[in-house]
Amino acid sequence: MSSTTIHLSKATFTISAPDIRKLPEDSGIEVAFAGRSNAGKSSALNTLTNQKSLARTSKTPGRTQLINVFEIGDNKRLIDLPGYGFAKVPLEMKKKWQKALGEYLEKRESLKGLVVLMDIRHPLKDLDMDLIQWAADSELPVLALLTKCDKLSQGKRSAEVLNVKKILAPLNADIRVQAFSSLKRTGAEQADSIICDWFSEEL
């Protein structure tokens, strides 16, 4: 373990890149955030970094069209990947985003952990499963954040977390499942702890 304490609140925006060729040098540690366009990815990033507008939120899902990079110091970065699925955009543009997403996941050596965000009311859609399956095959640790959990009662929330864990168990991978709410900060402390552990691993 590294002796350096990680603080996600130190995150600062560095660059928006259309593809991996425009990203910073592929070294250090990166933790990437990925999810469907309406999963609340930007809100989660803002909550976890204790910043109101680090990642731009929009009432129109799919605003993240580029790979956004946030430095947290010492060659460690949070990566906000293009949203997938829901966004009402031309097919060609959607294909371009998907290509950037796929290239990053397959080729980026510094990627050490993947946060997959899913609306707790509609988790594990096909694209979510594809992404988690890919991470499992690549032996990349995953934090599945079930967002907007404030929309459900405590009982339904717990049942959904258990159900997602049960479905993902056969993958035999390093996958943690956590209910999360940007509005109420539910699960923020646990998610912060997992992500900081990834950043603290020796290279």
Side-chain angles (χ1 to χ4, degrees):
M1 294 285 284
S2 166
S3 59
T4 309
T5 304
I6 311 298
H7 295 290
L8 300 186
S9 57
K10 289 185 176 176
T12 53
F13 173 75
T14 308
I15 191 172
S16 289
D19 55 54
I20 61 172
R21 284 162 285 285
K22 298 286 194 298
L23 289 175
E25 183 187 346
D26 191 0
S27 63
I29 297 177
E30 292 179 349
V31 172
F33 284 65
R36 290 173 65 80
S37 303
N38 56 342
K41 188 158 50 70
S42 297
S43 297
L45 268 165
N46 289 338
T47 298
L48 289 168
T49 57
N50 281 316
Q51 298 186 42
K52 286 185 178 172
S53 55
L54 182 74
R56 287 191 304 172
T57 57
S58 171
K59 287 188 168 60
T60 307
R63 186 81 176 273
T64 308
Q65 302 170 21
L66 301 165
I67 300 172
N68 294 310
V69 181
F70 305 100
E71 284 280 350
I72 60 168
D74 197 24
N75 212 13
K76 296 176 173 68
R77 296 171 292 275
L78 295 171
I79 306 294
D80 183 12
L81 293 170
Y84 52 81
F86 180 85
K88 294 177 181 175
V89 294
L91 185 60
E92 280 308 306
M93 187 178 286
K94 202 174 278 193
K95 282 181 179 172
K96 198 171 171 184
W97 298 357
Q98 299 307 105
K99 186 178 178 219
L101 178 82
E103 265 193 334
Y104 173 84
L105 292 171
E106 286 169 23
K107 297 180 180 176
R108 196 72 174 166
E109 295 289 331
S110 47
L111 176 62
K112 303 300 180 192
L114 183 64
V115 182
V116 179
L117 299 101
M118 300 174 280
D119 187 324
I120 194 167
R121 299 164 298 176
H122 319 286
L124 301 178
K125 300 278 191 185
D126 288 350
L127 290 170
D128 301 323
M129 283 301 298
D130 288 348
L131 188 56
I132 293 168
Q133 179 70 64
W134 172 85
D137 291 344
S138 304
E139 297 185 349
L140 187 72
V142 171
L143 170 59
L145 277 191
L146 304 184
T147 61
K148 309 183 186 182
C149 74
D150 51 280
K151 308 272 189 192
L152 297 182
S153 67
Q154 182 67 51
K156 284 187 177 177
R157 184 187 306 174
S158 300
E160 201 56 63
V161 168
L162 283 173
N163 187 46
V164 169
K165 284 181 177 177
K166 186 177 172 184
I167 293 169
L168 296 177
L171 295 178
N172 287 319
D174 182 358
I175 302 172
R176 255 88 53 99
V177 182
Q178 179 74 52
F180 186 86
S181 166
S182 296
L183 191 65
K184 307 280 191 183
R185 294 192 60 83
T186 309
E189 196 175 321
Q190 294 91 331
D192 178 89
S193 176
I194 291 166
I195 293 166
C196 288
D197 279 350
W198 290 342
F199 276 123
S200 299
E201 289 173 11
E202 293 292 349
L203 294 174

